[in-house]
Amino acid sequence: MAPGILNARRGANVTGKRRFAAVFAFFLFFFLCSYFLAAFWPVKQELLVGELLDLSQSLPSFLRSRVKLELEGLSSSTREGPLAFQAGMPGQVKARLWLEGILPLRTLVLDVQPSCQVFPGGQSVGVLLHAQGVIVAGFTDVLEGERYLNPAAAVGLRKGDVILCVDGQPLQSAASLKEAVERAGREGKEVTLKVKRGKKELVVKVRPAFCQRTRSYRLGLLVQEATAGVGTLTFYEPRTRLYGALGHAVDLGGGTARPLELSEGKIVEAYIREVRKGKKGQPGEKIGILAPTSGFHGTIERNTPFGIFGRLESLPSHPFYPHPIPVASASQVRPGKAELLTVVEDGRLERYQVEIIRVNPFGGSSGKDMVVKITDPRLLNATGGIVQGMSGSPLIQDGHLVGAITHVLVSHPERGYAVLAERMLKECGLLPASASFWGKKFLSGWEDKFSPRRIIWKGA
């Protein structure tokens, strides 16, 4: 065969391979894009009226110019950019994404929910909680004869356990437990305790020991039946009177992180009499007195990882916000300047300047959705930064309630964590619990290498 014909065939083979490689690369790129969008964008999402949805923030830079957005649904939706839009009324929108305007990548169904408006809080509150049963707060040895022993610790009871029943009867108070132990001791019997440990329930039998010092029968337990403390009101909704406070759960204490299970509880207005300033390695604290017969008050119906919730029986007034303000969704919160509302003296509510350093939409139930830094010299001078009792202090950004302080960084008391307000409102039912905003901010802000796990934190 002539050399020219052979060269022509070789050239045709090379061209065919190149075309095949180009087509293969194109379809591989297409399937990778589809996989990326399927992995990180749920088919159905929810957003609020007036919220800007910018899909370009969740796309790598090399894809942004190649993906086109097509909207179908609400006529009130307005385009704010090639991959961004804003819905002006409740309803449903279909957002179709196309690669190079030819190949369909993804169809998102977006349910537009009415926006929610609440009054921000900032007022100090006294939190009074009564647990179901009594809580094991610690142990104390019993002197029986000439030896010390601890019957409760010997059968495996732990600090933080909740004793629900004694001898089959629901336990109402520490006094009831003491009476049952004394009765069993005199009769030479064991007491049967029903104990809740986390999500588990167990039954233990303990034989009381006669204490030579107190001349009574004892189990060697220190128990508590109620807890009280000072925190901060985050928001309230005037129509339903629903409120949220603290931004984190009231736990069992004793080094545990388990939420206290409520029997009953209430909040009352508190007046701050002293502030112990926070220092590096030593968290500060608000010290207040409760005003159960004056000011506002309400019930506590839920104790959750995102705060305590209930209804106010009387509403507080607000010196800075005479009207409700909108609640920001996760996608609206951004690093930058913000305002914090809290009380540092008596019942006087003040506003202070802070900076949101980082927004982490994957904070989960940890209350670490944001990292916040106190920048206002007045607050730093008064408290040294974030102190215990400041939990629940609301954060305002661009006229929206964006979150609440939850924890202080013990090694950097001017910094702390905050929970998104969106999470708190879902928890009390003011926003739909099914709303899912996290996909909108995937990959945004992850160039920040700050690692909160390296810093000791404590409830504020």
Side-chain angles (χ1 to χ4, degrees):
M1 186 176 293
I5 296 175
L6 287 173
N7 290 336
R9 287 185 176 179
R10 287 173 183 163
N13 289 338
V14 171
T15 302
K17 289 179 180 179
R18 287 177 178 172
R19 287 177 180 171
F20 175 78
V23 172
F24 178 79
F26 177 79
F27 279 101
L28 178 63
F29 178 71
F30 166 71
F31 285 117
L32 285 175
C33 294
S34 299
Y35 174 79
F36 182 88
L37 296 178
F40 301 118
W41 280 347
V43 172
K44 189 172 183 179
Q45 297 190 48
E46 297 190 14
L47 67 155
L48 302 177
V49 170
E51 178 187 350
L52 178 65
L53 178 63
D54 188 355
L55 300 177
S56 65
Q57 294 184 14
S58 301
L59 287 173
S61 56
F62 70 88
L63 269 183
R64 291 174 189 167
S65 61
R66 293 181 169 86
V67 176
K68 307 300 180 185
L69 175 66
E70 178 184 286
L71 297 177
E72 178 184 310
L74 293 175
S75 58
S76 62
S77 298
T78 57
R79 295 294 292 264
E80 303 291 338
L83 290 170
F85 77 99
Q86 192 174 48
M89 61 182 292
Q92 195 173 84
V93 180
K94 284 186 178 180
R96 289 190 172 91
L97 298 170
W98 298 80
L99 180 63
E100 302 291 359
I102 301 173
L103 295 175
L105 283 178
R106 190 81 165 153
T107 298
L108 305 177
V109 179
L110 305 168
D111 284 332
V112 183
Q113 302 288 338
S115 60
C116 183
Q117 294 192 338
V118 297
F119 278 98
Q123 298 87 350
S124 285
V125 294
V127 180
L128 305 170
L129 294 174
H130 193 103
Q132 294 179 354
V134 298
I135 305 163
V136 177
F139 299 91
T140 178
D141 289 342
V142 179
L143 177 61
E144 186 180 57
E146 297 182 354
R147 63 188 182 122
Y148 286 94
L149 69 160
N150 195 298
V155 298
L157 285 179
R158 301 176 188 173
K159 189 183 296 186
D161 285 347
V162 180
I163 304 175
L164 301 175
C165 299
V166 56
D167 292 333
Q169 298 299 314
L171 195 55
Q172 302 295 331
S173 66
S176 299
L177 176 62
K178 184 177 181 180
E179 289 173 7
V181 169
E182 185 70 23
R183 183 169 57 251
R186 292 186 182 279
E187 295 175 359
K189 298 179 180 179
E190 296 177 320
V191 289
T192 302
L193 305 178
K194 183 179 179 181
V195 177
K196 187 175 181 66
R197 181 177 296 162
K199 295 182 179 180
K200 297 180 180 179
E201 290 188 357
L202 54 147
V203 176
V204 296
K205 293 186 176 182
V206 193
R207 184 174 297 279
F210 185 76
C211 181
Q212 300 290 342
R213 290 179 298 183
T214 62
R215 311 301 297 175
S216 63
Y217 287 93
R218 300 179 60 188
L219 300 181
L221 285 175
L222 298 174
V223 299
Q224 93 183 57
E225 58 188 61
T227 185
V230 174
T232 304
L233 184 70
T234 305
F235 67 84
Y236 60 94
E237 202 279 323
R239 182 179 58 85
T240 61
R241 294 179 175 260
L242 288 171
Y243 77 86
L246 297 190
H248 61 71
V250 178
D251 61 36
L252 291 169
T256 71
R258 301 199 303 271
L260 178 71
E261 295 194 19
L262 292 179
S263 170
E264 59 183 19
K266 63 180 180 178
I267 63 168
V268 298
E269 188 172 7
Y271 293 90
I272 304 304
R273 287 292 179 247
E274 181 185 351
V275 175
R276 294 174 181 168
K277 295 179 67 172
K279 301 176 182 178
K280 186 174 182 180
Q282 182 180 349
E285 181 183 8
K286 287 183 181 183
I287 300 173
I289 59 173
L290 310 188
T293 58
S294 63
F296 62 90
H297 59 282
T299 61
I300 299 175
E301 298 173 5
R302 298 191 66 198
N303 179 29
T304 81
F306 301 124
I308 57 172
F309 303 93
R311 296 181 190 273
L312 293 175
E313 296 172 7
S314 58
L315 301 179
S317 59
H318 208 292
F320 305 120
Y321 293 94
H323 304 289
I325 63 174
V327 177
S329 66
S331 64
Q332 292 176 297
V333 186
R334 57 176 178 79
K337 293 182 179 180
E339 175 185 274
L340 179 141
L341 302 175
T342 199
V343 173
V344 295
E345 185 179 359
D346 293 329
R348 189 169 67 250
L349 183 60
E350 296 284 357
R351 59 211 305 185
Y352 300 98
Q353 295 302 309
V354 300
E355 182 180 358
I356 298 174
I357 298 175
R358 180 182 178 185
V359 181
N360 173 20
F362 302 103
S365 61
S366 66
K368 300 179 183 179
D369 295 321
M370 292 175 274
V371 178
V372 179
K373 180 180 179 181
I374 305 296
T375 57
D376 198 307
R378 296 175 302 142
L379 188 56
L380 290 171
N381 183 60
T383 66
I386 297 171
V387 298
Q388 295 181 44
M390 203 179 283
S391 292
S393 297
L395 296 166
I396 315 293
Q397 186 181 65
D398 300 329
H400 290 66
L401 176 66
V402 298
I405 295 294
T406 57
H407 300 90
V408 60
L409 301 179
V410 177
S411 54
H412 297 274
E414 76 283 358
R415 299 189 183 199
Y417 293 111
V419 65
L420 288 166
E422 175 187 284
R423 294 192 193 276
M424 295 183 70
L425 268 81
K426 287 180 191 177
E427 196 69 34
C428 69
L430 288 173
L431 280 178
S434 60
S436 176
F437 300 96
W438 61 267
K440 303 170 197 172
K441 299 195 77 170
F442 181 77
L443 293 182
S444 64
W446 288 97
E447 66 279 358
D448 184 356
K449 301 302 182 183
F450 176 82
S451 176
R453 290 175 296 177
R454 298 178 183 174
I455 299 177
I456 301 172
W457 55 270
K458 204 162 187 179

